[in-house]
Amino acid sequence: IATVYSWPLNMQSYLRKSFEQQGIKKLELEELLEEDQRRLENDMNDLSKRVEIVADASNTNDIRKNIERLASIRRELQLKIEIAEGIQSREKSLEIPQSDILSRLENALSAIDPLEKLWKNGRDFMDKVNVWHDNSIVSINAEDAERTVDDILRSFTKLSKDFEKAGSSRKAAKDMASAFQLQVKEFVGDSIPLMLLVCNPGMSERHWKEIEVVSGISVPMNESITMSVLIDLGLQHHCRDIEEICVSA
């Protein structure tokens, strides 16, 4: 009977102890959460610094290295976003205000997109130029080359404007986009018109001899002749003179 009568008091004691234990457990979980938040914050700051290093890069010799750096940063940011999503879930469970670390990580991931486009476009352009200049002209599709270069030029033009809007933090990237833009324009002006004329499967020995006559340039006629050879000879300065010969081939 005494036990029955004391049950309400015992229950209150049990509930009080249970609440105290839950409170202690909640504090422990909050401390662990704060530790994880601090660690993630430090990791994000480190990644942001690495992004700025690439953003300030201005050496075209580092194109592939910068692409690799950005790919590594992207992978790490994606992993950190997964961690941030877990932290956000824990914040909800503990009913505490949510931090903005997830949104900042997502913004950081978006911020590297234009930098990746800058360096990948630079790599693609240089690789393509090497192919177009060093391979035999009979293997080159000049129309495809023209379309590819137009796409790359439009991309650099847009990137240059976007970096300018981003302000001083992207000045180096803007300058790089402008420098690439200039290189592409020079290629469009010097190489593309000549490619469209001479990269013609109908060109024969007769046509090349006529080109020598009107241009005054001695062209080494063989199947392996390249754009580099023709440009070194200065044939790109005679496009108007040789146009009719090439078009009729």
Side-chain angles (χ1 to χ4, degrees):
I1 294 174
T3 300
V4 172
Y5 281 112
S6 63
W7 178 83
L9 294 175
N10 291 337
M11 180 56 67
Q12 290 177 358
S13 176
Y14 292 147
L15 289 173
R16 184 170 60 254
K17 289 179 179 179
S18 176
F19 289 145
E20 288 174 355
Q21 291 173 350
Q22 289 177 30
I24 293 171
K25 182 64 176 177
K26 187 175 187 292
L27 286 174
E28 291 175 350
L29 292 173
E30 288 177 353
E31 288 175 358
L32 289 172
L33 177 60
E34 288 175 2
E35 183 179 342
D36 289 343
Q37 287 173 327
R38 282 193 297 271
R39 187 182 299 113
L40 185 58
E41 186 75 33
N42 291 335
D43 289 344
M44 180 180 172
N45 290 336
D46 177 63
L47 288 169
S48 296
K49 290 177 183 177
R50 288 165 60 188
V51 170
E52 294 311 306
I53 289 173
V54 179
D56 290 336
S58 58
N59 190 339
T60 54
N61 292 327
D62 292 334
I63 286 180
R64 298 183 192 281
K65 185 183 294 184
N66 288 330
I67 292 172
E68 291 171 3
R69 286 171 175 167
L70 290 168
S72 175
I73 293 170
R74 177 177 289 280
R75 287 192 296 269
E76 292 188 49
L77 279 171
Q78 288 169 337
L79 290 174
K80 300 308 176 186
I81 285 174
E82 291 179 8
I83 294 173
E85 289 171 343
I87 285 177
Q88 190 176 77
S89 177
R90 289 159 63 189
E91 289 169 341
K92 289 180 180 179
S93 297
L94 292 170
E95 298 180 341
I96 62 176
Q98 289 187 5
S99 62
D100 64 349
I101 186 69
L102 177 58
S103 61
R104 286 190 288 133
L105 282 166
E106 290 172 339
N107 290 338
L109 188 61
S110 298
I112 68 174
D113 286 344
L115 293 173
E116 282 188 318
K117 289 179 182 177
L118 170 67
W119 293 105
K120 285 183 177 180
N121 280 343
R123 175 201 62 191
D124 292 346
F125 173 66
M126 290 189 169
D127 287 349
K128 290 289 187 183
V129 167
N130 288 335
V131 170
W132 294 326
H133 275 183
D134 298 339
N135 285 8
S136 168
I137 60 173
V138 298
S139 68
I140 297 173
N141 186 319
E143 287 77 13
D144 282 350
E146 183 180 34
R147 284 191 291 270
T148 298
V149 171
D150 284 344
D151 289 342
I152 292 175
L153 181 58
R154 280 196 295 271
S155 180
F156 279 135
T157 301
K158 183 179 185 306
L159 285 169
S160 181
K161 292 178 180 177
D162 290 344
F163 288 135
E164 187 170 13
K165 290 177 183 177
S168 59
S169 67
R170 291 294 178 268
K171 182 183 183 304
K174 193 268 181 188
D175 290 344
M176 281 306 307
S178 297
F180 279 130
Q181 214 177 338
L182 182 60
Q183 290 182 40
V184 177
K185 286 180 178 179
E186 289 177 352
F187 183 82
V188 169
D190 292 341
S191 297
I192 288 295
L194 183 60
M195 289 170 65
L196 290 168
L197 293 175
V198 302
C199 297
N200 180 347
M203 293 287 288
S204 65
E205 184 175 349
R206 174 176 63 84
H207 297 109
W208 285 110
K209 286 182 178 179
E210 291 177 5
I211 285 175
E212 286 185 327
V213 172
V214 300
S215 67
I217 294 174
S218 178
V219 180
M221 291 170 285
N222 57 70
E223 291 185 357
S224 62
I225 192 170
T226 66
M227 284 296 302
S228 290
V229 171
L230 297 177
I231 288 172
D232 287 343
L233 291 171
L235 192 59
Q236 70 274 19
H237 303 304
H238 299 273
C239 285
R240 288 186 178 180
D241 300 328
I242 68 173
E243 182 177 2
E244 187 176 343
I245 297 170
C246 297
V247 170
S248 65

